[in-house]
Amino acid sequence: MLGTALVLIAASLLSGGEAGAHGDLVWATGAMDARAGGAAQDIVEAWNQLHPSGPKVRIEALPDSPGDQRQQMAIELAAKSSEFDLLYLDVVWTGEFAERGWLADLEDIRARIKDVSLQGPVQSATWKGRLWAAPLTTDAAFLYYRTDLVDHPPKTWKELAEVGLRVGKEHGIAPFVGQGAPYEGMVVNYLEYLWGSGGDLFNSDGTKVQFGNDPSALTALEFMRNSLQSGLYAPGFNTMKEEDARNVFQSGNAVFMRNWPYAWALSQAPDSPTKGKVGVSALPKGGSDGKNTGTLGGWNWAVNKYSKNTKAAVDLAKYLTSPEEQKRAAIEVSFNPTIPALYKDKDILAKNPFIGELLSTFTNAVARPSRVTGSKYNQVSSEFWNAVHETLSGKSQAEESLAKLEKTLTRLSRNGKW
Ligand code: GLC
């Protein structure tokens, strides 16, 4: 693989170093990110060999959890620090980072990106009409299931509960794993139940919080609470993040898993106990008349406005999001490309056969309200995960949590002025 990366870099890169470059070109990314291991390091070494006059690229491993990554970057950027040049941004952070003036404007590369990318990822990198990041990968959650234990994926969450509980009991394994710890990932899980039952958080222009009186909001929350009580959710669900869920599922200890595309490549690794035993489908619907609604996730590369190596950082962002590099990431670590043409690429399909079939899952995925709430998204999200968690842990009833949450969100929304 290193060979491929070197050839690709040599083929598509760039002129020499930046005149007047300062220090290293620091690429800030999560410590456990699949690409921060071997693949990312290979790219860095190849890049540095091809750019002997610098700046030299160096990976700065941030904490494992995206929430901690966001916080660490925010601390640096709020202090106008040039420490990190290239920022690995969750799609829900664009508005906040752009609004706070932390990002270099990438309008110059918009035309190049817009014409070859899916709409959702481009919008996720846009704030107030300007482009602030280069789309790298788009995420929509899948339902992973054990093909040796169930014939076909369930169509509704109700069916999933019935099958999961029965099959889990027969085999002495957990029926379902997903993300229930109090953090962004749990908000996403809740939203999928809410959207799948036809509900929403705000009215279409984001001026009014509307979910508190929406029966789907209660249905979604009660589904989560009941699933914890009935044992549909694996023990420890309310502390699980993506990797906890994956570890249980991949070790053969769950029938179903809700997770992002990255879990596919790992589940099919040569030493994976679930190799050859995993099917992938769209998430179940909220009910027979509901929708299969995944949440739009994903990651983009942005450039620190205070960087002293802006040109080199933009060049590296361009390279990392190029078709060649997105293809490599799709094959090696099942990162879903943001470039639709790659969904027909035969090398990618050979490794991830579901990718072509599930393209509509990505194009139909629903964005979280960060594009409405801008810099307040993190606050909205944490109010949310606290409310859901209080219900799951039995500290408050579902109705009570939702009423309180609606009040808080209405206050934060300042009549849609956010
Ligand atoms: C994935 C998604 C990201 C989301 C996060 C939640 O990394 O790509 O958008 O916020 O999961 O845990």
Side-chain angles (χ1 to χ4, degrees), residues 66 90-92 137-144 177-179 183-189 192 195 241-243 245-246 257-267 280 283 294-299 333-336 354 361-362 365-366 368:
D90 189 330
V91 291
V92 286
T137 181
T138 185
D139 262 345
F142 294 145
L143 180 71
Y144 289 81
V177 285
Q179 295 72 39
Y183 81 118
E184 180 65 26
M186 178 228 248
V187 174
V188 172
N189 279 239
E192 284 161 353
W195 285 328
K241 297 188 176 178
E242 282 83 357
E243 278 294 89
R246 186 183 67 78
M257 169 173 74
R258 179 252 172 238
N259 218 328
W260 306 100
Y262 85 97
W264 168 257
L266 295 163
S267 78
V280 174
L283 289 179
T295 304
L296 184 70
W299 292 82
V333 290
S334 57
F335 268 26
N336 266 32
F354 56 84
T361 309
F362 300 104
V366 182
R368 281 160 278 175

Side-chain angles (χ1 to χ4, degrees), residues 89 94 98 103-115 117-135 300-303 314 317-318 321:
L89 291 196
T94 316
L103 305 181
D105 185 325
L106 298 189
E107 269 303 293
D108 284 356
I109 62 170
R110 173 190 280 278
R112 172 186 183 274
I113 285 173
K114 187 178 83 22
D115 295 343
S117 304
L118 292 166
Q119 274 314 297
V122 176
Q123 281 168 2
S124 80
T126 304
W127 174 250
K128 302 218 163 130
R130 299 190 80 77
L131 189 77
W132 300 99
N300 303 325
W301 283 114
V303 173
V314 173
K318 270 167 39 188
T321 56

Side-chain angles (χ1 to χ4, degrees), residues 46-68:
W47 177 285
N48 288 339
Q49 273 175 27
L50 284 163
H51 298 85
S53 52
K56 215 166 161 341
V57 178
R58 169 168 65 79
I59 293 180
E60 177 74 30
L62 299 183
D64 195 12
S65 136
D68 296 341

